[in-house]
Amino acid sequence: MAMVWYAAATSAALFCIIYFFHRRLSCRYPLYTDYPILGMLPEVLCNLWHIHDFSAEMLKSHGGTAEFIGPWFTNLNFLVTSDPLNVHHVLSKNFNNYIKGPEFREIFQAFGDGIFTTDAEAWKYNRDLFHSLFKHRSFEVFMEKTIRKTVQNSLLPILDHVQQQGRVVDLQDLFNRFTFDNICSIVLGYDSNCLSLDFPEVEIEKAFSQAEESIFYRHIKPKSLWKLQKWLQIGGERKMTEACKSFDQFIHALIASKLEALSKCNENETGEASADLLTTLMREGKEEHDARFLRDAMFNLFVAGRDAITSVLTWFFWLVATNPLVEAKILEEMKEKFGRNEGKAEVLSVEEVKKLVYLHGAICETLRLFPPVPFERKQALEADMLPSGHGVDPSTVLLISLYAMGRSEEIWGEDCMEFKPERWISEKGELSCPSGGRLRSYAKPFSCSSHEGWFQG
């Protein structure tokens, strides 16, 4: 019996040694320290509180491209890059070879078959559909009117109130509520009343945030672990199920209500008041857009609008507050263009905002330093060779670190960590992508002059 145990232990040890050296040979460009059994996960967990800064530094020390290897037998392996030539190759030059893939759709299950999870023809259909909706003049008028109303009736009164009371307010929470109200109105034609003086807890907003949090943790958990939690309905997966159920009940009830309203009146009677995206989709695609398509489209638009805008607003005001010279230049530009009274809050029109070049540059600079989507995930269909010389096998998962790209000296120069809106302004005083071949092709997605950045793949 002892011989059997000895043989089993020897075989297991030999197997572990062989597998360990196999991992060492297969991982030629390690991003972090590769520990036995646990892989590189310990360093990620230890630095989770500043993972994007930590990863940016590690990528810099590895020339912009490296490999992440997860715990043994978890298949949690990625090729991580911030090299702009690699990014251009994956997202443009050889776009058809890199998809989101089935694993991505499993992680982002709550998104359904929307634009952020689909590939090929389904993705193109969603992109073209949304672009056509955004270009409608009626939608542009409706969106401006909705945002102006929220600013005048909710945001400014609350800011005045907390200032008079001498209260401290969490701007991220404030902007999150502001954006949620706008998105509910613009996308669904529904007044959530999330931004009010008593800062109420809105069930649908809470459910939406919970679903996103659970999706985040799916990225760092082994697939087998979160799949088991989902099957047992415990932990974050249980919260995810409950959150999606709440959102689905809300959106399907709204769809049913709008279907009934549309059946009682013709298109001319709905008017500008019903120019929200859900009503427009239902009105223009009654045959091909079923309830599931509408639900998935709305969820994806929620993500595209709420999280991106909340992130940009929060970081923008933090950057401006910590850079008084930039703040002074923004105020000076507004005074020069419109001669407004700085002591009185006024809401600018879209056409007026377009004239504020320096302000636009400051927003682009915010997107560079703190992109709302810090990394992009892609999966290879066929073997490929990246411009950096790194080989890509079929089914290899690539993580593109947009956060690291925004802080690369090679791309932006030695002042890459500085908040400088001037880098986006030409000598003629016009908004322009920074000059330089590699820089110009990289900087284009950071331009905030259109919706294109939401749907780059």
Side-chain angles (χ1 to χ4, degrees):
M1 189 67 177
M3 290 296 294
V4 174
W5 280 107
Y6 177 77
T10 303
S11 299
L14 183 61
F15 173 79
C16 289
I17 293 172
I18 293 174
Y19 187 76
F20 176 76
F21 280 103
H22 169 72
R23 283 170 61 95
R24 288 286 185 179
L25 292 174
S26 61
C27 182
R28 294 174 292 173
Y29 316 100
L31 181 60
Y32 311 125
T33 303
D34 186 10
Y35 295 93
I37 302 177
L38 298 177
M40 302 180 186
L41 189 59
E43 281 204 69
V44 171
L45 296 177
C46 290
N47 293 278
L48 195 60
W49 62 278
H50 68 154
I51 190 61
H52 296 302
D53 288 310
F54 179 66
S55 297
E57 285 298 319
M58 297 303 293
L59 279 170
K60 179 181 177 181
S61 65
H62 288 82
T65 304
E67 295 174 82
F68 173 85
I69 305 297
W72 293 9
F73 308 111
T74 61
N75 199 31
L76 198 65
N77 306 328
F78 310 104
L79 180 63
V80 189
T81 186
S82 61
D83 187 323
L85 295 180
N86 288 345
V87 176
H88 177 71
H89 178 84
V90 172
L91 298 183
S92 181
K93 190 175 180 180
N94 200 16
F95 177 78
N96 291 330
N97 188 49
Y98 294 92
I99 62 174
K100 300 179 181 77
E103 290 184 6
F104 183 95
R105 280 188 282 278
E106 279 190 305
I107 293 175
F108 289 87
Q109 181 185 4
F111 285 60
D113 294 325
I115 190 169
F116 287 116
T117 57
T118 52
D119 291 303
E121 294 303 318
W123 173 78
K124 291 179 182 178
Y125 175 80
N126 278 277
R127 181 194 60 176
D128 294 342
L129 175 64
F130 290 141
H131 278 182
S132 67
L133 294 176
F134 293 148
K135 290 177 182 178
H136 282 185
R137 177 56 184 164
S138 60
F139 172 70
E140 293 180 352
V141 172
F142 175 73
M143 181 169 66
E144 180 179 359
K145 181 179 178 180
T146 299
I147 296 175
R148 176 182 287 270
K149 178 181 177 182
T150 309
V151 172
Q152 289 180 328
N153 298 345
S154 299
L155 182 61
L156 292 181
I158 288 176
L159 290 174
D160 285 339
H161 177 76
V162 297
Q163 191 272 333
Q164 292 172 6
Q165 297 292 321
R167 290 172 51 190
V168 175
V169 64
D170 182 348
L171 279 184
Q172 184 173 2
D173 178 47
L174 188 74
F175 290 141
N176 187 57
R177 293 172 178 274
F178 167 72
T179 307
F180 191 81
D181 277 355
N182 280 323
I183 292 300
C184 278
S185 297
I186 293 169
V187 174
L188 303 176
Y190 172 79
D191 185 6
S192 62
N193 197 31
C194 187
L195 182 61
S196 57
L197 286 173
D198 56 346
F199 289 88
E201 184 176 279
V202 179
E203 182 180 354
I204 183 59
E205 193 278 334
K206 182 180 179 181
F208 191 79
S209 298
Q210 182 58 59
E212 290 188 312
E213 181 179 337
S214 298
I215 289 172
F216 170 77
Y217 283 109
R218 282 185 176 185
H219 281 86
I220 59 175
K221 290 180 182 178
K223 181 179 177 180
S224 56
L225 176 58
W226 67 258
K227 281 272 191 179
L228 178 62
Q229 289 181 322
K230 181 182 178 182
W231 182 63
L232 295 174
Q233 281 298 286
I234 58 175
E237 289 300 314
R238 179 181 178 180
K239 294 179 180 179
M240 172 86 151
T241 300
E242 294 173 348
C244 289
K245 183 179 179 180
S246 296
F247 183 86
D248 289 353
Q249 289 175 343
F250 167 75
I251 192 65
H252 284 301
L254 202 57
I255 290 172
S257 174
K258 286 185 176 292
L259 275 174
E260 183 179 357
L262 286 172
S263 66
K264 293 179 180 179
C265 58
N266 59 44
E267 182 176 332
N268 294 328
E269 292 174 335
T270 59
E272 183 184 309
S274 297
D276 60 90
L277 291 174
L278 177 56
T279 301
T280 305
L281 273 176
M282 295 172 69
R283 182 192 298 146
E284 297 186 358
K286 294 180 181 179
E287 299 298 328
E288 65 268 27
H289 298 158
D290 58 15
R292 180 181 176 183
F293 176 90
L294 293 171
R295 179 269 176 206
D296 294 346
M298 294 307 102
F299 191 96
N300 282 254
L301 286 173
F302 256 73
V303 175
R306 193 198 75 155
D307 291 353
I309 296 172
T310 298
S311 173
V312 173
L313 284 175
T314 304
W315 284 116
F316 170 77
F317 278 92
W318 182 82
L319 287 167
V320 170
T322 54
N323 290 271
L325 291 179
V326 172
E327 180 184 7
K329 289 182 180 180
I330 291 174
L331 294 174
E332 181 63 29
E333 181 182 49
M334 295 176 67
K335 185 177 180 180
E336 179 184 330
K337 296 287 185 181
F338 312 118
R340 300 287 175 86
N341 181 8
E342 293 182 9
K344 182 180 179 181
E346 297 183 58
V347 183
L348 301 178
S349 67
V350 171
E351 294 304 318
E352 287 177 319
V353 171
K354 288 180 180 178
K355 298 177 183 179
L356 300 175
V357 177
Y358 191 83
L359 174 63
H360 201 151
I363 295 174
C364 289
E365 189 73 341
T366 302
L367 288 167
R368 177 182 73 84
L369 288 170
F370 298 101
V373 181
F375 62 89
E376 181 81 14
R377 174 182 171 134
K378 288 288 185 179
Q379 183 173 328
L381 287 173
E382 299 177 358
D384 192 19
M385 180 67 70
L386 298 178
S388 61
H390 295 79
V392 175
D393 298 324
S395 299
T396 294
V397 176
L398 285 88
L399 294 183
I400 298 171
S401 177
L402 300 175
Y403 188 92
M405 292 177 73
R407 294 155 184 269
S408 169
E409 291 185 13
E410 181 184 4
I411 300 173
W412 299 98
E414 295 181 357
D415 62 351
C416 63
M417 297 301 295
E418 296 181 27
F419 182 57
K420 292 180 60 176
E422 291 83 1
R423 74 175 82 241
W424 296 89
I425 302 173
S426 68
E427 294 179 358
K428 296 181 180 180
E430 300 173 349
L431 191 73
S432 174
C433 288
S435 60
R438 294 182 70 181
L439 183 53
R440 182 173 294 276
S441 63
Y442 159 63
K444 186 176 180 181
F446 286 82
S447 174
C448 36
S449 59
S450 71
H451 302 280
E452 186 70 29
W454 290 1
F455 309 119
Q456 285 294 329

